[in-house]
Amino acid sequence: MDNAVKERILELLEKDAKLNVPEIAVMLGLEEDEVSAAVKNFEKAGIIRGYHALVNWDKTNDEKVSALIELKVTPQRGNGFDKIAEKIYQYPEVDSLYLMSGRFDFTVMLRKATMKEIAHFVASKLAVIDGVQSTATHVVLLRYKDRGFVMTDEEKQKRMMVNL
């Protein structure tokens, strides 16, 4: 199986993790055994790290929010950013952690936390890590699109047409 086909399998699963092997095989014109073996190899190699549902929490009664926290750090001699990143991603509150280019070094994503939990996490866990110079916390007010999916009601998005 060539790399382009392997990438296509990954793209399909990333877009819809509910797709099963027979469906993928039909979509790509492959044998089910080929697709099954490829998916198992992706999982074993750590290319596929997990399967997730994208939940629109705004449509529930959940009052928790998401936060994006920018960190400016001083890299450690001999370890660069890796040791600091390891400390940060060990916290269960951290949903995602990215090393960035630009004005800050890391982006930390927290999902489903109260404002008090976010403040406590930043003040007592992130800001006290050796090498952290500054933090800037941003609270997500509304998700319009997440991982390729529109999250707002499409009926609300349509504007009334006005003729002059």
Side-chain angles (χ1 to χ4, degrees), residues 20-53:
N20 60 37
V21 168
E23 290 170 328
I24 295 169
V26 168
M27 293 169 88
L28 299 178
L30 300 170
E31 295 294 322
E32 289 181 23
D33 292 346
E34 290 178 282
V35 174
S36 180
V39 170
K40 286 178 184 166
N41 286 336
F42 293 146
E43 291 169 344
K44 185 177 179 181
I47 295 169
I48 294 178
R49 304 296 289 193
Y51 298 89
H52 299 277

Side-chain angles (χ1 to χ4, degrees), residues 125-160:
K125 294 182 179 179
L126 284 184
V128 298
I129 294 173
D130 284 339
V132 171
Q133 296 174 12
S134 65
T135 67
T137 303
H138 309 277
V139 174
V140 175
L141 301 176
L142 180 63
R143 290 186 303 164
Y144 289 101
K145 190 172 185 179
D146 195 346
R147 298 179 197 140
F149 292 91
V150 174
M151 302 301 282
T152 58
D153 289 333
E154 290 168 16
E155 287 299 315
K156 286 184 180 179
Q157 295 294 323
K158 295 179 184 174
R159 294 182 177 225
M160 185 168 45

Side-chain angles (χ1 to χ4, degrees), residues 17-97:
K18 287 178 65 176
L19 287 175
N20 60 37
V21 168
E23 290 170 328
I24 295 169
V26 168
M27 293 169 88
L28 299 178
L30 300 170
E31 295 294 322
E32 289 181 23
D33 292 346
E34 290 178 282
V35 174
S36 180
V39 170
K40 286 178 184 166
N41 286 336
F42 293 146
E43 291 169 344
K44 185 177 179 181
I47 295 169
I48 294 178
R49 304 296 289 193
Y51 298 89
H52 299 277
L54 180 58
V55 177
N56 189 350
W57 290 104
D58 294 339
K59 292 192 170 274
T60 70
N61 293 327
D62 189 285
E63 294 294 325
K64 294 183 177 179
V65 296
S66 296
L68 180 148
I69 305 161
E70 299 172 355
L71 290 179
K72 183 87 175 131
V73 303
T74 302
Q76 295 178 341
R77 184 181 308 274
N79 294 313
F81 295 102
D82 294 343
K83 285 292 184 189
I84 296 171
E86 188 176 334
K87 287 178 185 177
I88 296 168
Y89 69 64
Q90 296 296 326
Y91 291 117
E93 299 93 334
V94 174
D95 183 68
S96 301
L97 174 64

